C-alpha cells in the first residue's frame, strides 16, 4: 500500500472511530470512495480498529458496571456483615431476651429459658456453680455438696421411652470443687435421690445417663424417694402429656447453714429436711397459639414442698405457692415474667387447673 493511500486510510479510520463512538452507522465503501482510499484495505483497517475499540468499550463498560454494582452492594454487605457479627456475638441469654421482647410485643409470653431460677450467686459466687448437661441444668452448692436446683423442659414428645435406666452413678468431673461420691452415700441409710429424674430422660441414652452424675443427687430417705416424691415425679410426666410441655425446677430446701444439717460421708453431704418442685405450664389460646409452643398467651404455675420422710397422704396436701418456695430457698422462679403477672401467679395456690 502506497503512502498516499495510507494517509487516506488514516483519515478514514478517524472518521470511522468518531462514528463508532457516537454509535452511528458507518458505510465503509462510501467513506473510502469519498477520501479516495482502497476499499479492501480500508475495510481491513476499520475492522481491526472496530474490534479493538469494541473490546476497549466493553472493558470500560464492564469496569463501570462492576464499580457501580460494588458501590451499591457494599453498604448492604457491610450492614449484613455487621448484623451477622452481632448475632454471632449475642449470648444465649441475649437471644432469649430478644425472643421474650418479640413475644411481648405480640401479646404473648416467651417460654424459652423460663425454667432457670435466679439464685444468690452474686453474694457468694464460688458456692454457686452452674453445670449444663444435654437436657437439664443444675446449680451446685459445694457447701452442701449437692445442687440447690435442677431445671429442665419436659415435653410430651420426650415421654417416648427409647432407653433403659443405666444406673451408672459416678462423680461429676466437671464440678470444679469435686462432686459428692458414691462412697459418701454407701452405708448411710439414704438413697441417692435424683433431682432431675432418670425417667424424665428415657427418650435418649445420653440424656438418661447424665442424670446419674452424683452432682444430680441429694440424700433422701428410702421411703420418701420411692414413695410420695416418686408419685410427684410421675404426676409431672402426666402434666407434660396433658399440657404438651412443662418447665420443672426441683431441689432441696437449703434454708439453714450446712453445719446445722445432718451430713453423710467424708464430703459431709448435707441431708435436707424438705424438698420442693416448682412447675410452669403454658396455657395456649388456640391451635394457632399451640403451633408455636415456645410462647403462649398465658401460663399457670404450681409448687410443692414435701418433708424428707415417709408420707402416705395425697401430694395435693403439699401444694404451696411459688412465693413460699422462694421465701424458704432464697431463689427467684420464673423471673422473666412481667412483674405484675409474676406476682399474681406466684402468691396464690390454684390446684384446680392441675387436677
Amino acid at each position: 500500500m502506497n503512502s498516499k493511500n495510507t494517509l487516506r486510510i488514516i483519515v478514514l479510520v478517524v472518521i470511522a472511530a468518531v462514528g463508532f463512538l457516537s454509535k452511528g452507522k458507518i458505510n465503509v465503501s462510501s467513506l473510502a470512495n469519498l477520501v479516495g482510499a482502497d476499499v479492501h484495505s480500508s475495510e481491513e483497517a476499520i475492522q481491526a480498529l472496530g474490534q479493538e475499540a469494541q473490546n476497549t468499550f466493553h472493558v470500560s463498560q464492564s469496569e463501570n458496571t462492576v464499580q457501580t454494582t460494588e458501590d451499591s452492594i457494599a453498604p448492604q454487605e457491610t450492614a449484613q456483615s455487621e448484623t451477622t457479627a452481632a448475632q454471632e456475638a449475642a449470648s444465649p441469654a441475649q437471644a432469649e431476651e430478644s425472643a421474650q421482647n418479640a413475644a411481648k410485643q405480640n401479646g404473648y409470653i416467651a417460654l424459652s429459658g423460663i425454667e432457670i431460677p435466679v439464685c444468690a450467686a452474686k453474694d457468694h459466687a464460688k458456692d454457686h456453680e452452674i453445670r449444663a448437661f444435654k437436657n437439664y441444668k443444675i446449680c451446685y452448692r459445694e457447701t452442701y455438696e449437692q445442687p440447690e436446683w435442677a431445671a429442665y423442659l419436659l415435653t410430651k414428645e420426650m415421654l417416648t421411652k427409647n432407653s433403659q435406666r443405666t444406673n451408672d452413678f459416678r462423680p461429676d468431673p466437671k464440678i470444679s470443687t469435686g462432686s459428692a461420691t458414691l462412697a459418701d452415700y454407701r452405708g448411710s441409710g439414704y438413697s441417692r435421690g435424683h433431682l432431675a429424674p432418670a425417667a424424665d430422660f428415657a427418650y435418649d441414652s445420653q440424656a438418661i445417663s447424665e442424670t446419674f452424675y452424683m452432682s444430680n443427687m441429694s440424700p433422701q430417705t428410702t421411703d420418701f424417694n420411692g414413695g410420695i416424691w416418686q408419685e410427684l415425679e410421675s404426676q409431672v410426666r402426666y402434666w407434660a402429656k396433658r399440657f404438651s410441655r412443662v418447665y420443672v425446677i426441683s431441689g432441696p430446701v437449703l434454708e439453714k447453714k450446712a453445719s446445722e444439717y445432718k451430713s453423710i460421708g467424708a464430703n459431709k453431704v448435707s441431708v435436707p429436711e424438705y424438698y420442693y418442685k416448682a412447675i410452669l405450664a403454658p396455657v395456649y389460646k388456640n391451635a394457632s397459639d399451640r403451633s408455636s409452643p415456645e410462647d403462649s398467651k398465658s401460663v399457670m404455675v404450681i409448687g410443692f414442698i414435701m418433708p424428707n420422710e415417709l408420707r402416705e397422704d395425697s401430694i395435693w396436701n403439699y401444694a404451696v405457692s411459688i412465693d413460699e418456695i422462694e421465701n424458704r430457698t432464697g431463689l427467684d422462679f420464673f423471673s422473666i415474667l412481667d412483674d405484675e403477672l409474676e406476682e399474681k401467679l406466684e402468691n396464690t395456690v390454684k390446684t384446680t387447673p392441675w387436677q
Side-chain angles (χ1 to χ4, degrees), residues 143-144 253-263 268-273:
T143 302
Y144 300 90
V253 177
L254 303 176
E255 54 191 338
K256 300 190 295 186
K257 294 179 180 179
S259 59
E260 297 177 15
Y261 287 107
K262 177 183 176 179
S263 64
K268 299 187 180 301
V269 183
S270 299
V271 180
E273 297 168 355

Side-chain angles (χ1 to χ4, degrees), residues 140-280:
Y140 197 80
R141 299 293 304 276
E142 173 62 25
T143 302
Y144 300 90
E145 209 65 80
Q146 63 195 281
E148 68 177 345
W149 55 259
Y152 58 96
L153 161 67
L154 183 63
T155 70
K156 64 180 181 180
E157 291 78 14
M158 295 176 180
L159 300 177
T160 301
K161 188 173 183 179
N162 296 318
S163 301
Q164 298 298 319
R165 184 182 171 96
T166 59
N167 288 323
D168 52 341
F169 293 95
R170 70 254 193 219
D172 190 341
K174 291 192 177 181
I175 297 298
S176 62
T177 55
S179 69
T181 66
L182 279 74
D184 290 323
Y185 284 78
R186 191 172 295 124
S188 68
Y190 289 91
S191 296
R192 294 162 296 206
H194 285 69
L195 295 183
D200 287 6
F201 298 87
Y203 58 89
D204 180 85
S205 58
Q206 179 185 341
I208 193 170
S209 178
E210 286 185 342
T211 67
F212 287 90
Y213 278 115
M214 295 301 295
S215 56
N216 184 42
M217 304 299 152
S218 183
Q220 296 179 340
T221 65
T222 302
D223 291 332
F224 175 72
N225 178 262
I228 196 167
W229 185 250
Q230 187 178 67
E231 182 182 345
L232 181 56
E233 290 174 340
S234 297
Q235 188 68 36
V236 169
R237 288 189 287 276
Y238 165 74
W239 288 327
K241 181 179 181 180
R242 177 181 170 186
F243 302 123
S244 296
R245 60 176 49 206
V246 288
Y247 296 82
V248 188
I249 311 102
S250 304
V253 177
L254 303 176
E255 54 191 338
K256 300 190 295 186
K257 294 179 180 179
S259 59
E260 297 177 15
Y261 287 107
K262 177 183 176 179
S263 64
I264 59 173
N267 287 311
K268 299 187 180 301
V269 183
S270 299
V271 180
E273 297 168 355
Y274 295 89
Y275 287 86
Y276 71 84
K277 277 189 186 291
I279 304 113
L280 179 145

